[in-house]
Every structure is written in structure tokens, then in C-alpha cells.
Amino acid sequence: MKIKNIFLSATILASTVIANAQELPYQEPPKEIKEIALAKLSPIIDFSEDYKWMLQLERAPYYSVSELAQPELRLAGIRINPETFSESRQRGYVGVTLVNMETKLERVIEGFPDQSIILNINWSPQSDKIIFFVKEGDGVYLYQCITTESKVVKLSNRKINACFGTSLFWVNNNEILTLAIPENIGNAPVGSTVPQGALVQENSGKAQAARTYQDLLKNKFDESLFDYYFTSEIIKINNQGSLSTGIKGVITSVSLSPNKELLLVEKTHKPYSYIVPISNFPTTLSVTDINGKLIKTIAEIPLIITAMGYDTTSPYPRNFGWRPDKPATLFWTEAQDNGDPKKNKTEYADIIYQQTFPFTDVKKEVVKTKLRSYGVQWGNDSLALITESSAATRLVKTSCFKPGSDKDPVPLFEFSRDDNYNNPGRPHVVKNQYDKYVLYTNKKNNQLLLLSDGASPEGNMPYLSLYDITKKKNTILWRCKAPYYETISRIKDPVKLEIITARQSITEPVNFFIRQIKSNKVKQLTNFPNPYPSMKGVSKEQIRYKREDGVDLTATVYLPAGYSKEKDGRLPVIMWAYPREYKSASDAAQVRGSKYTFTSISYGSPIFWVKKGYCVMDNVEMPIVGGNGVEPNDNFTEQLVMNAEAAAKVIHEMGVGDTSRLAVGGHSYGAFMTANLLVHTNLFKAGIARSGAYNRTLTPFGFQAETRTYWQAPEVYYAMSPFMYADKLNGALLLIHGELDNNSGTFPIQSERFFQALKGHGATVRYVVLPLESHGYSAKENILHMLYETDSWLEKYVK
């Protein structure tokens, strides 16, 4: 293919101001859509470790725009509220009900400050206390509730530093460790509006490709703000109050040893970077005692700007942690190929090492993997599991081994990451004598309990199985049955085979049950009502069909309540999808999801429009298949068009869809798909593209699963960019984007420049910027306005 001027986007107007733009007062969608969008959802459920108690956590409503407009700092890839030293845009919870699981007696927990938000909870080891991280107007504090009472009390007046999220560790049932804002921290730095010099970046001839990150540090003032807000200290809180351990700094992670005597502390430090986020900053890992005394510095990791590509990783030691089955033994992973398998061919990709307190002995090899290691699941001295994977081939392999043995691991499961049918599930874990999670096995260490999604040609039907390691035989103990979709939430007793499940159906929302598998007894724990009563009677069906080359596809079709083909005829159709890449047609053709799930409607769902008389096709499969030396994206456009044509054909053949009134939509990569379909087909009257990327040259070092750079595959980048075909748009395109999109690759400039290109070629296009929103949308006003814009567009150009 002859490449045109691929960097045309950089010259289409230096200004990002949209010509003829105007501020439109917030609008609301029709009543039937608004009612569903603002429906009160069922609470989130959390169980105590002894299964005597259940918490019902009432979800916080959407933010208001005024809340989003509060001060926010965007530093090193993280967005925080400087008033409260916490991550911004967290929804959290606004109410808590404590339920006795035996008597079902409910008590509302009171005492939380007005207008506060509960960010997180933590049960004590004996399940008799609950710690709440509560965000108030001036900060985050710890509150505690004893299960025999109905009121919380503030544990300490020390403010928590929650800029990295919330962390809490139980030393014993009466003492905890957490991260607090340092005392006497003083006032935040104040920056001058006058530049102190030029900002300079330099590269000394070494290739250092990086993705297009957002919210990075920009100057020395940003660095000072980062140090001020992200610096914390580890404090100990007990019945006598709070006590500092003296451990202070930009602490990115803390973990408590199983014997509760040592801390593994990771701190980041200068020099900081302006091109990568905090996860790549230099770090120091050290071990201290519980009172803050330094035992040993374990590792010094410099700034990391890793090569981009399949299976690349840090060239330095990574994934440090405590072995949960030992009192105080550290383990970590070291890449043998310097983190880049393309440049350095080695027999083994990774080796996992360990070292035991007091960390004076030479490190010992635990296990080595030929593929990239993705984690150990520890059991005991006789059994552990190692999972290794290849992103290039999609292969996932799990083996069992005896820690420290010279014998090679014994393979147990091997399947493609995209092959859900052959995925056996995840092993069940239980707490050991150290209150840490380890593998559940029988006394002979030859049996595991596996929890599986149960993917099959009939859809997902989750099950619990007993896997014999020696015989490599899997015996199903329990499986959900139609017409329900039922997943295992907890295994209450692995010996008695007593489980807690979350069950739903097409007409019933999720509710929780206790099941005794051996006796087949069932006890219902919750009885939450349908949050969408107005959706009663809406039909839902998972359909299967083939595209032109024979690949099997699925979609979920919703039809209005009371709809009749004979009486109502064909309906306008809206398709909603998200493309995915596969290495083989057989994996792409697998059935995903379940036809028995309850329809939960998020703000970004297309299902609202079934209430407006549309036929809605949701989760429309859009596989992009590679294999036999061909990358999936080498034929992206052709396959995308085939997928869309097949979906249009099947809905027409069903007699319910009017393909002369067809719309398509999606979010992020789904928006990218939408734009491509409108420039490469004339199937659609309209498209809804939310927060997408449309010019792949603005993400030149890879995107999605594409790891080739623009310079390695310029024809692919060109062919996949709808921006390059702005003169070919068919139908009417609605572009929506959050003003502060923080997702790598989907900066608002993607929509701004695409709109300008379309406008310049006389296309029918509208560009809506949602104030203060990021990649996902948060504010009630913005969400309702987004639904209004979508509804108006569909009514005008489709219906």
C-alpha cells in the first residue's frame, strides 16, 4: 500500500479549539432512560472470615460535576484529591448494614460523619471488629465497629495517606499498621507562575520506547508536589493510641511477614521521570522490624523504561513478596534474558529465588521457567504451583513443584489464554497458621479444589471440581444449572463442601445462597429486588451465527417488552461491540458469557434504547484473527467488515431488525471500531464513538495487542486509522470524549483532530466534550447529558 502523508494530523490546525464550538447547558435524556440510569443498585456484599457476619455496603451515587470540579492533582500517572490525600474519583460506599448470617438479624451501622464516603473495609483476624477507611472533608480517617454493637468510633485523629489507595495490616487482633500523613507536614509547596528555565529531555543514543502516558510529572514544581502528597509514614495503632515506626518516605508498598515480626517496605525516590509513571520510578526495597529498625536493604531498582514487545519485563529483580507458608522468607523473580526475549535467547526466561531471615545466606533457587513467570501459588514445603505464559503465543502453563527441589516442575495444565473451554479454573486457597492464604490440598498433597468459569459451547456454567495431581483427573463436584447463572463467591468449608454462591437469572438479580453440596441443601441469604422494574418483559437472547469465512460469532439481542414481529414489524437496530484479537479461529469462535445472566445496565450500556423501541445487539463479537505467521491486525479492516456484515445479516434474517436503520457504537477500542466501520462500509446510518483513538500514528510504539511500532509496520498503522479515511465517512458520527481522558493512547486530541478532519470534508459529525471527565465517566450531569446526546443522535439519524 502506498502511504500518504501519515502525519497529516500534526498539521491540521495548531489550535485544539473546535470551530463554532459552544457550551450547551446540561440536558437530560427521556424519562425512561433517566430512570434506569439512576436506579439504586443492590449493595455490595462482604463476608467475615468466620462466616458469622455479612456486610451490605450501599454504593455511593454518581458524583456531581461540582465534586469533580474540586481541586485535583495529576502527578506521575495518579490523580489525587489534595484536600484529603486520597485518590480522586472513588465512588465508595455511603451506608453499611451488618447481618447475622445465622439469624438474618440486620443492624444499620451508624456514627459515620455526614457526607462522608467509606473507601474500604477490613475485618479483624477474629472477625469481631471491622475497620473502615472513611473520607471526610479534610482527610481520610480510620473508624472501627465491634460486631456486637451498631456504631462506629474513630480509632485515631491521625490522617491516613491514601494517595496509593488504602493499606492496613493486623499485627494481632488489637493492633494494626497503616500509612499516615506525616505529622508536622507543613503547607503544600507553592509554585511560581513564572518559568525558571527551559524543560529539556535528552536521549544518548539508547532506544527507549514508551507508551503515550497521561498525567506525568512536568517540572520541578510537580516533583515537589509529588514528594509532599505521596510521602507517608507507617504508624501502629492500638488501644494506647497511635505510634510512629519512624519509617517515612514515598512508600509505594508495604507487606507484613507471616510471623508478624518484619516489614517489607518499598520506597520510590529521585531521580523521577517525566516520560513514565511512578510504577517505573527508582525504588529501594528494605526489610525492617515491626518497630521500624532497618534489618537489610534488599534491592535497589533504578528507573525502568522497558523495551516494548511481547513478554518483555524489567531487567531487574521484580515481584518481591513473603512466602505465605514460612515465618519470614522472601521470594522474587529475576529475568534471565535481561527482560527482552527477542534480543537475548536463553533456555530459561525467569528464575524465582528466595532468602530467609536474617538474609545473610546466599539466595537460593526455588524454581525456573522457560516462559515468562506470572506468579507462584504457595502451598507448603511439598507443593506449590508456578504459572508461566507467553504473550506472543498466548500459551499459559501451570505446573506443580516442590519448592527448592532440583526436579523440574510437573506440568498440570496447558492451554491458550484465549481458549476458555480448556481453562480448568483457579485453585482454592485457605488461611494457614500465619493468617496467610495458601493452596488448599488434602493431606497427601495430591488433590486441589478448582473453581472454574465452566466455559463451553453452551456458554459459561461455573463449577467446582476436585483435581487429582497424580492422575491428572478432574472430577466435577458441583455445577450451576439452567436457567440460572451461579458463581461460587466463597468456599465456606472445603471439607464439608459448603459454599456461598451468587445466583442470577434473566429475570432475577444477583442474590446470595449457602449451598451444602453433599446434602444438596440450600439457604438463601439475600433477597434483593430487581432494580429495573421498568425493564420487565424485555426479551433477551444469546444468538449464534457465522461470518463469511466460517468463524462462529455470538451476540445478545434485546427486544422491547411485548414486541411482536407480526404486529410491530422490523425495528431500528443499535449494535454495541469491542474488537478482540485472537491467534486462532477456533479460539475466536468460542462462546463467551452466559445466556442466563440478569441484565445489569451501566451508564455506558446500549440497552437503554430497548425502552425506546430499538432492537439492541449487545456484546456483538468482533474477533480479529491471526495465526500461521500472520498478525491479527494485518487483516484488521477486512475482518472487522466481515463481522459487521454477519451481524447485520443475522438480525435481518431473524425478521426483527431493519438493516436500513442500523447504528453501531462502542467505547475506547469500541469507538475506534465504530469509526472504522463508518469509513469502510455503508451499513450504518449512525455511529456513537466514545473516548476513542482514531489516528494510530499518535500511538507509534504499539497499542492494544499490537506490539510492532509504526516504523516496523507503517502500512498496518495507516490502514487501521480511520483518520486517514476521513474523506470516506458514511453515515452520521457522534464523537464523545472526556475532557481529562487519562487512558494511554486516547487523549482528547484524538477526537479533536478527527472531528476537524471530518468537518473539513463535509461529514455529518458532532463532537461532545464532557467537562472534567476521564476515560470513564463519573458525574451524574455528564452521564445524563451523554445519554441525551446519544438518544438525540439515534432519533435524528436512525429511528
Side-chain angles (χ1 to χ4, degrees):
M1 174 186 294
K2 184 178 179 181
I3 309 281
K4 299 178 183 178
N5 181 2
I6 204 160
F7 291 103
L8 181 62
S9 62
T11 62
I12 295 181
L13 293 179
S15 171
T16 59
V17 177
I18 302 170
N20 302 320
Q22 59 181 332
E23 185 175 82
L24 175 67
Y26 280 120
Q27 304 294 308
E28 294 187 350
K31 179 181 178 182
E32 58 265 45
I33 291 179
K34 179 181 177 181
E35 180 183 72
I36 296 171
L38 300 182
K40 185 176 180 179
L41 303 180
S42 301
I44 299 296
I45 298 299
D46 191 82
F47 299 97
S48 64
E49 290 293 337
D50 61 5
Y51 296 105
K52 291 181 179 179
W53 304 98
M54 177 175 67
L55 281 181
Q56 296 181 2
L57 302 164
E58 182 182 345
R59 310 181 212 206
Y62 291 123
Y63 282 108
S64 66
V65 169
S66 62
E67 288 175 297
L68 285 193
Q70 291 176 356
E72 179 181 66
L73 292 177
R74 299 184 283 278
L75 303 168
I78 300 177
R79 297 182 172 186
I80 64 167
N81 181 331
E83 300 294 330
T84 58
F85 283 72
S86 66
E87 293 176 301
S88 56
R89 303 167 190 261
Q90 295 171 286
R91 287 187 66 183
Y93 313 104
V94 292
V96 183
T97 300
L98 184 64
V99 183
N100 186 304
M101 290 179 62
E102 182 61 34
T103 66
K104 291 190 177 181
L105 180 65
E106 298 184 2
R107 284 184 282 125
V108 175
I109 297 179
E110 300 176 335
F112 295 106
D114 292 341
Q115 308 302 315
S116 64
I117 297 290
I118 300 164
L119 299 180
N120 206 349
I121 66 163
N122 202 295
W123 288 91
S124 66
Q126 296 179 13
S127 296
D128 59 343
K129 301 171 185 174
I130 314 161
I131 301 292
F132 298 91
F133 286 86
V134 181
K135 183 169 70 173
E136 302 178 33
D138 67 335
V140 177
Y141 298 89
L142 291 183
Y143 284 75
Q144 177 178 282
C145 177
I146 299 173
T147 53
T148 55
E149 300 177 359
S150 303
K151 191 170 184 177
V152 294
V153 295
K154 184 179 283 189
L155 271 185
S156 169
N157 285 321
R158 288 296 302 270
K159 293 181 182 181
I160 300 301
N161 191 322
C163 289
F164 287 123
T166 55
S167 299
L168 187 143
F169 307 92
W170 291 91
V171 180
N172 53 57
N173 206 62
N174 297 307
E175 190 169 57
I176 61 173
L177 294 170
T178 191
L179 294 176
I181 299 171
E183 289 188 300
N184 304 316
I185 190 174
N187 297 322
V190 178
S192 171
T193 58
V194 179
Q196 302 301 303
L199 298 180
V200 178
Q201 296 188 46
E202 183 178 357
N203 191 58
S204 56
K206 183 178 179 181
Q208 298 187 93
R211 289 192 180 274
T212 49
Y213 295 107
Q214 182 67 289
D215 300 340
L216 301 178
L217 300 180
K218 300 179 184 65
N219 48 48
K220 291 292 183 182
F221 178 58
D222 276 1
E223 290 189 40
S224 65
L225 288 173
F226 176 80
D227 281 332
Y228 179 82
Y229 285 103
F230 285 85
T231 296
S232 61
E233 65 175 325
I234 301 174
I235 64 169
K236 187 185 300 183
I237 299 177
N238 53 32
N239 295 333
Q240 281 72 49
S242 62
L243 176 69
S244 173
T245 62
I247 304 173
K248 182 179 175 182
V250 181
I251 301 172
T252 52
S253 73
V254 182
S255 59
L256 182 64
S257 64
N259 64 6
K260 307 294 194 296
E261 295 178 4
L262 302 172
L263 294 172
L264 174 63
V265 181
E266 181 181 50
K267 297 181 184 178
T268 194
H269 57 76
K270 294 180 178 178
Y272 299 145
S273 171
Y274 295 178
I275 62 173
V276 290
I278 185 175
S279 55
N280 294 54
F281 285 7
T283 57
T284 299
L285 289 107
S286 56
V287 172
T288 73
D289 69 13
I290 199 72
N291 296 310
K293 180 182 177 181
L294 178 65
I295 304 297
K296 185 178 181 180
T297 297
I298 301 297
E300 292 280 1
I301 311 298
L303 177 71
I304 300 174
I305 303 178
T306 58
M308 294 180 64
Y310 289 126
D311 301 308
T312 56
T313 190
S314 168
Y316 308 104
R318 67 184 198 276
N319 298 341
F320 288 82
W322 297 106
R323 270 188 63 167
D325 60 325
K326 294 290 183 182
T329 296
L330 285 175
F331 72 96
W332 66 92
T333 305
E334 294 185 17
Q336 303 305 294
D337 52 12
N338 203 35
D340 191 343
K342 284 187 176 181
K343 290 184 178 179
N344 307 293
K345 302 296 182 182
T346 56
E347 182 179 2
Y348 294 96
D350 285 329
I351 296 180
I352 294 175
Y353 293 98
Q354 70 176 30
Q355 198 173 37
T356 299
F357 176 81
F359 315 111
T360 54
D361 294 339
V362 176
K363 65 185 181 182
K364 295 180 180 179
E365 182 180 307
V366 178
V367 66
K368 48 192 176 185
T369 61
K370 294 193 173 183
L371 305 179
R372 188 65 71 209
S373 167
Y374 279 88
V376 177
Q377 293 173 292
W378 299 97
N380 48 48
D381 279 332
S382 299
L383 178 68
L385 302 182
I386 177 72
T387 297
E388 51 190 305
S389 179
S390 166
T393 64
R394 308 289 178 99
L395 180 67
V396 178
K397 180 180 178 182
T398 299
S399 306
C400 65
F401 69 98
K402 183 177 181 179
S405 171
D406 293 334
K407 295 182 179 179
D408 288 335
V410 178
L412 296 181
F413 319 121
E414 192 169 312
F415 54 93
S416 168
R417 186 187 302 171
D418 299 324
D419 181 7
N420 296 330
Y421 291 177
N422 288 302
N423 186 337
R426 66 189 189 279
H428 175 54
V429 293
V430 293
K431 283 194 172 181
N432 62 8
Q433 71 270 30
Y434 302 117
D435 203 34
K436 299 289 186 179
Y437 284 104
V438 294
L439 290 170
Y440 171 79
T441 67
N442 61 349
K443 292 182 179 179
K444 295 182 180 179
N445 290 310
N446 67 348
Q447 290 182 339
L448 301 169
L449 281 177
L450 300 181
L451 296 88
S452 172
D453 291 338
S456 74
E458 298 304 312
N460 288 0
M461 299 295 282
Y463 63 77
L464 176 69
S465 65
L466 184 68
Y467 183 80
D468 190 301
I469 294 174
T470 305
K471 298 178 182 178
K472 295 187 179 180
K473 180 182 178 182
N474 206 22
T475 304
I476 294 179
L477 303 173
W478 172 86
R479 188 169 197 152
C480 82
K481 296 179 180 179
Y484 294 103
Y485 178 72
E486 193 166 3
T487 59
I488 298 175
S489 178
R490 296 283 188 94
I491 296 182
K492 187 171 181 285
D493 190 322
V495 177
K496 296 180 180 178
L497 292 179
E498 192 172 1
I499 61 178
I500 298 176
T501 65
R503 193 183 79 179
Q504 58 185 299
S505 71
I506 291 177
T507 58
E508 300 172 20
V510 174
N511 274 291
F512 291 82
F513 296 78
I514 294 181
R515 285 190 171 274
Q516 296 176 359
I517 293 176
K518 292 180 178 179
S519 64
N520 203 28
K521 291 183 179 178
V522 182
K523 177 183 178 182
Q524 187 164 351
L525 292 175
T526 64
N527 191 24
F528 300 131
N530 183 347
Y532 317 112
S534 67
M535 291 287 290
K536 184 178 180 180
V538 169
S539 70
K540 174 183 178 181
E541 179 185 4
Q542 188 178 61
I543 63 170
R544 304 178 190 182
Y545 52 101
K546 292 180 183 291
R547 74 183 193 187
E548 186 181 8
D549 61 356
V551 173
D552 291 313
L553 303 173
T554 62
T556 303
V557 175
Y558 296 86
L559 295 171
Y563 169 75
S564 166
K565 279 192 273 188
E566 294 75 20
K567 183 180 67 173
D568 302 311
R570 295 182 180 273
L571 304 176
V573 181
I574 177 169
M575 296 181 188
W576 206 262
Y578 190 96
R580 298 189 186 280
E581 301 94 338
Y582 298 92
K583 287 291 186 179
S584 73
S586 59
D587 288 345
Q590 290 189 2
V591 176
R592 292 167 176 81
S594 170
K595 56 186 174 184
Y596 300 120
T597 54
F598 180 75
T599 301
S600 295
I601 307 175
S602 69
Y603 72 82
S605 171
I607 301 172
F608 294 102
W609 284 276
V610 76
K611 292 292 294 179
K612 294 294 299 290
Y614 288 78
C615 165
V616 176
M617 298 182 73
D618 197 14
N619 297 318
V620 179
E621 291 277 0
M622 292 281 176
I624 309 299
V625 184
N628 299 321
V630 176
E631 290 294 325
N633 286 338
D634 290 348
N635 311 111
F636 177 85
T637 302
E638 295 84 351
Q639 294 193 63
L640 193 66
V641 172
M642 266 198 294
N643 293 327
E645 289 176 342
K649 180 181 178 183
V650 71
I651 204 67
H652 176 80
E653 291 175 346
M654 288 174 63
V656 298
D658 180 356
T659 51
S660 70
R661 295 185 292 163
L662 192 60
V664 65
H667 186 90
S668 194
Y669 209 56
F672 169 72
M673 168 208 73
T674 298
N676 264 302
L677 287 173
L678 262 65
V679 298
H680 292 298
T681 77
N682 58 5
L683 286 172
F684 301 99
K685 290 291 185 183
I688 313 295
R690 299 174 185 161
S691 300
Y694 310 105
N695 184 347
R696 298 276 50 133
T697 71
L698 297 179
T699 56
F701 287 101
F703 56 91
Q704 218 59 12
E706 179 59 69
T707 61
R708 294 171 295 183
T709 70
Y710 159 70
W711 296 273
Q712 293 169 327
E715 63 285 339
V716 172
Y717 277 67
Y718 183 94
M720 290 182 67
S721 297
F723 179 90
M724 307 305 172
Y725 304 91
D727 59 334
K728 303 272 193 287
L729 187 79
N730 296 293
L733 181 60
L734 174 62
L735 296 168
I736 300 176
H737 218 117
E739 179 187 26
L740 301 177
D741 194 322
N742 60 340
N743 183 55
S744 177
T746 57
F747 297 169
I749 193 174
Q750 290 275 5
S751 289
E752 293 166 3
R753 297 296 170 84
F754 191 36
F755 171 80
Q756 292 287 357
L758 292 169
K759 178 177 176 290
H761 286 95
T764 301
V765 60
R766 181 177 174 90
Y767 176 34
V768 178
V769 178
L770 299 179
L772 306 172
E773 295 290 0
S774 57
H775 193 60
Y777 311 148
S778 304
K780 172 182 167 183
E781 295 92 335
N782 282 327
I783 288 169
L784 292 179
H785 187 85
M786 177 267 292
L787 294 172
Y788 156 81
E789 293 280 0
T790 305
D791 182 69
S792 300
W793 201 252
L794 292 173
E795 293 290 292
K796 183 175 182 179
Y797 292 105
V798 181
K799 195 172 182 182

